[in-house]
Amino acid sequence: MKVGRRSFLSFIIGGAAGTAITPLPWKLMDDASIWSQNWPWTPVPPDGEYSYVNSVCTLCPGGCGISVRKVDDRVVKIEGMKGYPVNAGGICVLGLSGHQLLYSPTRVKSPLKRVGKRGEGKWEKISWDEAISEVAKKLSEIRSKGESHSVGSIVNADSGTIPNLFKRFLTAYGSPNFMTMPSMQDSYKMTLQLMQGVNAQAGFDAENADFILSFGSGIIDGWGSPVRMFKANSTWKANGKKVVQIEPRLSNTAAKSDKWIPIKPGTEAALALGLANVIITNSQHSQKISQSSGFESFKKLVQNEYSTDKVSQITGIDSASIVSLAKTFASASKPLAICGRGQGSTPGSLNEFMAVHALNALVGNINEQGGVWAVPEVDYIKWPEVNLDETATNGVQKERVDGAGSEYPHAKSLLNRLAEVVNSGDGSLEALFVTGANPLYSMPDSKAMKKAFDSIPFVVSFSSYMDETASNSDLILPNHVCLERYEDVPTTAGLQKNIIGLTRPVVKPQFSTKNVGDTIMLIAKALGGSIAEAFPWDSYEACLKETLGAKWDVLVENGFWSDSNSKTVSGEFNFYPKAMESLSNFSPVSLEGSTASYPLVLIPYDSIRLANGYIGDPPFVIKAVEDTVLNGKAACVEVNPKTGKELGLTEGRYASLHTPRGKAKVKVHLYEGIMPGIIALPRGLGHTAYDKYLAGKGCNFNELIGPAEDPVSGLDAAWGIRARLTKV
Amino acid sequence: MKEEGKHNKKAKKYGMVINLDNCTGCGACMVACMAENNVPFKEDESDKLDSITWMRVYKLANGESYPDADICYLPRPCMHCEGYHGHSPCVSVCPAVATDYNHDTGIVSQIYTRCFGCRYCMGACPYHARYFNWWDPVWPEGMTKYLSPNVSARMRGIVEKCSFCFHRHQLAMDKAFLEGRTELEENEYQTSCTQACPAGAITFGDLNNPHHKVNQMVKPDNKHGGRPGDPNAFRLLERLGTNPKVYYISSKEWVRRAGDNYLANEDRTVQQH
């Protein structure tokens, strides 16, 4: 057949028309898409029996009650527990994501022993028996050399059975070096000790206060027990109570307060004393409290050194605002002043805490409704005294490596000093245990901390996750995550009630992990002698049951135990402890760096959507972070548009951020809510460990800042650092 | 077209009232939604255009300079627009009836197996409440264990959005049926975000029911497209006539103005017809 031009064209056109009319290609395309949509990797979650288990979340110090929804033996959702005295049904982003941590691929699935260089990420799986004997062998060696005091531990907190087991272990072994992660609670405790002579935690009867004066506390940014504070904030709004927020940046708390008063950062103590001066001058203070010891000296101090004009000059707040703030604060019927910057994860300057506490005392709210309460620890851990053998007796009498109790007599633990002490060769540790904490990420100047860790020959991590500290250790003995274990959770941050919550296993352990309480007991038993005798219990669960005694049944039944009578302790108030003398000449905590090379001031800010403690953001939470905080792989630095203009920086462009301690590549976010000349970076980013959803995103603020020792407490008082921001 | 409630005298109109004065921007609603509805996640979620968030919290700014700057957070679920007689913008354009307006509950559905991904609805939605699955969802090893059987996982090539946790409505109705009831109590059906909000900023219920808190809070004028009666209450893009069922309350005028587009000198409170 001859194909002419005409027949060729008819064939093409006819074919095209035919193809267009026939449903076949469309049908095939549809079938193909349906087929590909049904590829087996879209999971079909299996159905099963539904149940709820109540427990307590331990992901942050907040200690909220949770109600965990299960389908058969799987956790599918975590909700707030109704009626729990801390959070009353509410929950935060981190608690909601607890099941992602349970099933996370970043979990350490069995005991691991390092085989490569430290931090290289090469591990060998070992059995629990091997792991325990490995630790015991090392510890026996150190002990037999008479170096028992060179073993230390870093624990998340100092109350509850787990921290106390570690403390007991170190005592029986013969070391004074029990260290805890620092927080504002350390400063509050010390303030209560110095000004009231009591050994207690500060609790805030926030719900009953009617005028809240916050010196930079992130009331709704994660301060105290976060969910409880969210609820308190809503209660205040519903009842027309007032909140005044004092800080240089328009945080969420500042935006939701009734009045935001920007202040030159670091001068909060001066403002508190300036307010005290106005209150005393106007005789608005509680007459009862003016009989207290030290009142006259305090009065002299504020009247001579903190006149309104002077304070105005120091703080950058105009005189009229200071006077009117003092008047409204003192004339409120239940005023309450709080401090502890952001989430309160750094202790801060003791002077500031004392000044704010004095303000509370002036308006007579100590241990009163709507005020600050001195809450004693729930006294339920009554274990028999440890019988110390000779080595232990010698060991515990040695000075602590961090100088707490010796150089700084009021301090109990000064982890912030560890890096410096170890790196300068003034002290050393042979072995270090880390549990419930991630100091290589969350301590200021984390690079120095890393260096200190590098010089410690034996680091044991009990972390459930491959975090920064675990990945730089020699041995990991993984703990169960909180959905798999028992643990007691005593009175949480800033709570004024005496309660104990019970964390309990919701599902059986997913991997070959052990409750850290059991692990420490096994190590003790392997060491034998008086160390083994200090732990007479068969298991951690048995220890917990025995410790809680009659409370155990209540805890199992309700999920929490609470003291029906709220307890406070009182001592005579002292307005002018010796530590306050340094305030006679106000000088803010000095900032590292020179003004010439570092013209800006960098401060951190906390967001409830960024976990910055032991736990890093799970995938859901990092997903909820705004694109003006984390953009691609870069953290955004908040810059006032005025400052941005001077530096030639525009929204969204890359810049290089330098501080005396480190540098980072950041993106610029122009924000009208920050004081010109100050720039702010979020805390909680810049992880190098964890999974791809978190690691390598943004920069770690702790790498950019160094510690500043408070002259009285020895705790870290740094609140910022000088910085330079340049175009790249 | 069916008239509202004609075929069912007891038609519900489930809606939400969000008090922006109480909202702290904590993001619990977003995460509670992700956890409840098997919303997937990927390595980089900072490009918010393709980051699937049925509930998204926006940050609004008043545009003033330091120190007069102010911010406010605004959680945005699907508005479940009623339009006029169920003509919500997305339902009107869906060629596959993959999204439909339920006259019994007022909920705009999304049926994944019907959707073939033309994304007309996304173009039609003025609230950016709809998201397209550009990729198949991938959970890291072991994490599929937490997926809830109440909500099917979606596959590549389809659109998804907030359902007002419709499966919770179904479960509550099943339970009521077994107990011989046809009506639900107010607290029996609550969305995941409402339940989670630690600030108590979200209220959910039947806007038609005068005993429900949502009705009392905003006093919707159902004769005029559900316009809020409360002066502090507003809806997003009110003047488009989408008749959304999510109401916001704010005591700040600049926040209320941010809910729609106004001329510089225009008085927001004068109603347009």
Side-chain angles (χ1 to χ4, degrees):
Chain A
M1 198 179 95
K2 189 170 174 262
V3 182
R5 178 177 168 273
R6 191 187 175 88
S7 55
F8 176 75
L9 281 177
S10 348
F11 178 74
I12 294 293
I13 293 164
T19 312
I21 289 161
T22 170
L24 196 66
W26 313 115
K27 183 63 191 150
L28 280 175
M29 212 191 294
D30 189 30
D31 282 354
S33 62
I34 289 172
W35 173 68
S36 73
Q37 283 178 342
N38 283 303
W39 279 342
W41 53 62
T42 304
V44 180
D47 211 346
E49 199 181 327
Y50 288 63
S51 60
Y52 276 90
V53 181
N54 287 341
S55 185
V56 173
C57 177
T58 62
L59 298 178
C60 88
C64 292
I66 51 173
S67 213
V68 184
R69 192 200 305 163
K70 287 171 64 183
V71 173
D72 287 341
D73 199 29
R74 304 185 293 122
V75 173
V76 299
K77 175 97 188 281
I78 299 175
E79 288 162 1
M81 178 177 158
K82 280 185 192 142
Y84 195 78
V86 177
N87 57 320
I91 189 161
C92 79
V93 282
L94 192 58
L96 277 162
S97 312
H99 58 336
Q100 289 198 312
L101 293 166
L102 170 69
Y103 298 122
S104 171
T106 67
R107 283 197 58 180
V108 180
K109 299 181 177 71
S110 73
L112 294 178
K113 188 186 168 180
R114 173 174 68 83
V115 287
K117 276 191 215 121
R118 208 188 261 175
E120 206 181 21
K122 285 188 183 154
W123 302 93
E124 180 195 352
K125 273 188 192 179
I126 54 173
S127 71
W128 272 100
D129 289 344
E130 285 174 277
I132 302 283
S133 63
E134 184 101 5
V135 180
K137 200 178 101 199
K138 196 85 195 171
L139 291 187
S140 310
E141 262 173 46
I142 299 172
R143 202 164 196 263
S144 60
K145 282 189 287 180
E147 301 277 313
S148 69
H149 58 279
S150 68
V151 173
S153 73
I154 300 176
V155 184
N156 53 322
D158 64 356
S159 56
T161 52
I162 295 286
N164 275 293
L165 283 174
F166 271 86
K167 210 186 270 179
R168 192 175 177 84
F169 177 85
L170 286 181
T171 309
Y173 177 80
S175 167
N177 290 312
F178 174 81
M179 291 171 276
T180 52
M181 290 303 283
S183 77
M184 67 166 185
Q185 276 175 287
D186 298 332
S187 291
Y188 259 122
K189 262 190 189 169
M190 211 176 288
T191 305
L192 262 50
Q193 199 186 358
L194 294 173
M195 301 185 89
Q196 290 176 254
V198 295
N199 182 15
Q201 281 187 25
F204 304 91
D205 190 21
E207 290 80 359
N208 291 316
D210 70 350
F211 187 99
I212 297 88
L213 177 58
S214 151
F215 289 84
S217 302
I219 298 171
I220 53 167
D221 293 285
W223 183 89
S225 182
V227 174
R228 183 241 175 164
M229 294 314 292
F230 285 129
K231 293 208 171 272
N233 187 60
S234 292
T235 312
W236 297 330
K237 289 217 177 293
N239 300 320
K241 315 293 186 202
K242 297 282 175 261
V243 180
V244 173
Q245 180 73 3
I246 295 160
E247 61 175 319
R249 175 181 174 268
L250 181 72
S251 64
N252 290 357
T253 306
K256 289 294 166 189
S257 67
D258 296 277
K259 195 176 170 72
W260 167 44
I261 303 179
I263 185 170
K264 277 188 209 159
T267 66
E268 287 84 349
L271 177 64
L273 295 175
L275 295 173
N277 172 40
V278 178
I279 292 170
I280 294 176
T281 309
N282 294 340
S283 295
Q284 278 188 298
H285 57 283
S286 142
Q287 290 312 314
K288 204 173 81 191
I289 202 83
S290 60
Q291 310 299 323
S292 306
S293 73
F295 182 77
E296 288 307 317
S297 316
F298 179 76
K299 188 173 164 184
K300 222 167 80 190
L301 169 79
V302 297
Q303 286 183 338
N304 294 345
E305 303 298 329
Y306 295 91
S307 66
T308 306
D309 289 339
K310 196 171 165 194
V311 170
S312 168
Q313 216 166 28
I314 298 172
T315 59
I317 302 170
D318 66 287
S319 303
S321 299
I322 296 173
V323 172
S324 90
L325 178 60
K327 279 185 182 160
T328 35
F329 179 71
S331 51
S333 70
K334 291 191 177 64
L336 170 66
I338 58 174
C339 61
R341 282 185 176 75
Q343 297 184 345
S345 49
T346 49
S349 145
L350 191 67
N351 278 341
E352 194 176 311
F353 280 74
M354 288 195 297
V356 172
H357 202 54
L359 205 52
N360 280 317
L362 273 187
V363 293
N365 75 11
I366 309 286
N367 287 345
E368 295 291 331
Q369 204 194 17
V372 187
W373 296 8
V375 187
E377 252 178 55
V378 195
D379 186 20
Y380 62 101
I381 302 180
K382 290 176 178 129
W383 296 333
E385 280 289 311
V386 186
N387 283 323
L388 302 182
D389 62 8
E390 204 192 319
T391 322
T393 316
N394 291 335
V396 291
Q397 281 166 1
K398 291 262 171 38
E399 255 180 42
R400 285 173 61 102
V401 67
D402 60 3
S406 50
E407 242 170 288
Y408 292 99
H410 307 299
K412 293 229 165 66
S413 159
L414 294 169
L415 186 56
N416 53 305
R417 298 189 75 234
L418 183 71
E420 207 193 310
V421 172
V422 170
N423 292 340
S424 64
D426 289 346
S428 65
L429 285 176
E430 287 294 313
L432 181 64
F433 288 179
V434 186
T435 186
N438 186 8
L440 287 196
Y441 173 81
S442 49
M443 287 302 290
D445 203 358
S446 44
K447 271 186 265 173
M449 197 53 141
K450 167 101 178 10
K451 203 177 149 209
F453 263 61
D454 286 345
S455 70
I456 300 170
F458 189 56
V459 178
V460 182
S461 162
F462 297 88
S463 179
S464 308
Y465 317 98
M466 195 52 100
D467 57 31
E468 282 81 358
T469 310
S471 43
N472 278 293
S473 63
D474 301 298
L475 203 58
I476 311 176
L477 278 63
N479 191 4
H480 298 324
V481 298
C482 77
L483 294 171
E484 299 167 329
R485 69 169 188 252
Y486 275 115
E487 193 175 338
D488 50 327
V489 183
T491 306
T492 52
L495 206 68
Q496 80 284 27
K497 306 170 193 161
N498 291 99
I499 65 158
I500 306 170
L502 181 68
T503 296
R504 64 181 120 197
V506 172
V507 287
K508 58 177 192 301
Q510 302 291 306
F511 305 107
S512 174
T513 53
K514 246 188 218 316
N515 190 312
V516 67
D518 282 313
T519 311
I520 199 77
M521 283 192 221
L522 287 173
I523 296 172
K525 279 174 190 153
L527 284 166
S530 60
I531 307 172
E533 280 162 26
F535 297 88
W537 308 281
D538 289 336
S539 66
Y540 173 66
E541 202 181 321
C543 162
L544 191 60
K545 267 186 205 165
E546 193 190 305
T547 309
L548 289 161
K551 297 186 182 87
W552 175 259
D553 291 334
V554 184
L555 280 165
V556 171
E557 176 77 21
N558 302 336
F560 65 92
W561 170 91
S562 74
D563 200 341
S564 40
N565 316 313
S566 301
K567 265 193 217 137
T568 55
V569 284
S570 42
E572 207 210 340
F573 198 88
N574 180 4
F575 266 100
Y576 203 69
K578 203 172 171 342
M580 226 170 189
E581 281 167 16
S582 61
L583 280 167
S584 58
N585 184 12
F586 184 78
S587 63
V589 179
S590 65
L591 281 178
E592 200 177 334
S594 71
T595 326
S597 19
Y598 301 102
L600 302 169
V601 171
L602 172 69
I603 57 169
Y605 72 88
D606 288 337
S607 157
I608 192 77
R609 297 190 212 173
L610 284 169
N612 64 52
Y614 164 46
I615 306 284
D617 263 9
F620 276 161
V621 186
I622 198 79
K623 180 171 177 173
V625 172
E626 283 160 354
D627 54 0
T628 50
V629 175
L630 172 69
N631 198 299
K633 294 253 179 205
C636 299
V637 63
E638 289 182 353
V639 182
N640 187 289
K642 240 191 233 162
T643 314
K645 205 171 171 190
E646 284 162 20
L647 299 170
L649 295 167
T650 47
E651 176 73 26
R653 76 170 289 163
Y654 281 107
S656 144
L657 176 62
H658 288 259
T659 73
R661 297 273 170 164
K663 60 175 198 289
K665 197 179 166 193
V666 292
K667 266 188 185 174
V668 172
H669 172 49
L670 297 178
Y671 181 43
E672 288 288 4
I674 186 143
M675 192 179 264
I678 291 179
I679 55 176
L681 204 59
R683 255 200 282 247
L685 291 170
H687 275 278
T688 52
Y690 285 102
D691 48 22
K692 64 175 179 179
Y693 304 99
L694 183 61
K697 291 184 177 180
C699 53
N700 181 2
F701 181 81
N702 291 320
E703 283 183 15
L704 299 170
I705 189 173
E709 251 167 63
D710 185 89
V712 180
S713 68
L715 291 160
D716 184 24
W719 50 265
I721 192 162
R722 293 216 146 267
R724 182 172 72 230
L725 195 61
T726 43
K727 280 196 239 182
V728 282
Chain B
M1 272 298 146
K2 291 170 190 165
E3 286 294 317
E4 179 191 323
K6 217 170 208 179
H7 58 308
N8 182 353
K9 286 266 183 288
K10 286 177 181 168
K12 308 285 183 294
K13 207 165 105 173
Y14 285 108
M16 196 176 269
V17 180
I18 306 180
N19 186 335
L20 301 182
D21 292 335
N22 282 358
C23 172
T24 63
C26 76
C29 52
M30 297 171 77
V31 174
C33 171
M34 294 177 204
E36 179 78 21
N37 293 298
N38 294 340
V39 175
F41 51 87
K42 53 188 191 313
E43 191 175 335
D44 182 10
E45 292 281 8
S46 72
D47 180 356
K48 299 301 176 190
L49 286 178
D50 68 23
S51 176
I52 300 176
T53 40
W54 293 10
M55 173 63 115
R56 178 173 171 198
V57 178
Y58 284 86
K59 188 178 186 175
L60 313 177
N62 67 348
E64 302 278 333
S65 299
Y66 175 90
D68 300 315
D70 196 6
I71 52 167
C72 185
Y73 289 92
L74 184 139
R76 187 247 43 217
C78 169
M79 302 285 138
H80 293 270
C81 307
E82 187 182 357
Y84 290 93
H85 316 302
H87 283 275
S88 38
C90 53
V91 170
S92 312
V93 297
C94 181
V97 207
T99 184
D100 202 7
Y101 189 84
N102 184 327
H103 288 268
D104 292 334
T105 58
I107 291 174
V108 176
S109 61
Q110 181 72 21
I111 301 152
Y112 313 127
T113 43
R114 283 188 193 165
C115 174
F116 54 75
C118 71
R119 292 176 280 143
Y120 284 2
C121 56
M122 290 175 70
C125 175
Y127 302 104
H128 299 286
R130 295 177 157 273
Y131 293 91
F132 185 62
N133 282 273
W134 288 97
W135 302 276
D136 266 320
V138 180
W139 283 271
E141 194 196 333
M143 272 211 206
T144 51
K145 275 194 189 158
Y146 75 64
L147 294 180
S148 159
N150 291 330
V151 182
S152 47
R154 283 75 63 186
M155 60 299 274
R156 161 180 51 77
I158 60 149
V159 171
E160 62 182 77
K161 68 159 193 83
C162 154
S163 66
F164 269 175
C165 289
F166 188 66
H167 59 282
R168 289 190 170 207
H169 181 259
Q170 289 172 316
L171 290 170
M173 286 301 278
D174 285 353
K175 185 166 170 277
F177 179 78
L178 288 172
E179 290 165 6
R181 290 179 290 133
T182 52
E183 293 294 312
L184 296 178
E185 293 294 321
E186 187 176 4
N187 61 5
E188 274 188 293
Y189 168 39
Q190 291 291 320
T191 64
S192 178
C193 51
T194 310
Q195 180 194 24
C197 179
I202 309 179
T203 313
F204 183 79
D206 178 9
L207 289 163
N208 279 346
N209 189 334
H211 302 296
H212 279 204
K213 271 183 275 170
V214 283
N215 178 292
Q216 294 159 0
M217 284 169 89
V218 293
K219 303 171 193 73
D221 177 1
N222 286 334
K223 289 210 174 68
H224 296 93
R227 200 180 287 155
D230 184 286
N232 280 351
F234 67 100
R235 295 185 290 181
L236 293 183
L237 304 175
E238 174 75 52
R239 299 192 289 191
L240 280 183
T242 51
N243 192 358
K245 281 197 281 297
V246 177
Y247 293 78
Y248 295 91
I249 291 179
S250 173
S251 59
K252 293 178 177 172
E253 175 60 17
W254 75 264
V255 175
R256 299 193 291 262
R257 277 187 85 85
D260 208 339
N261 301 303
Y262 299 96
L263 298 172
N265 308 320
E266 194 179 350
D267 184 356
R268 189 189 65 84
T269 52
V270 177
Q271 294 291 349
Q272 306 289 315
H273 294 281

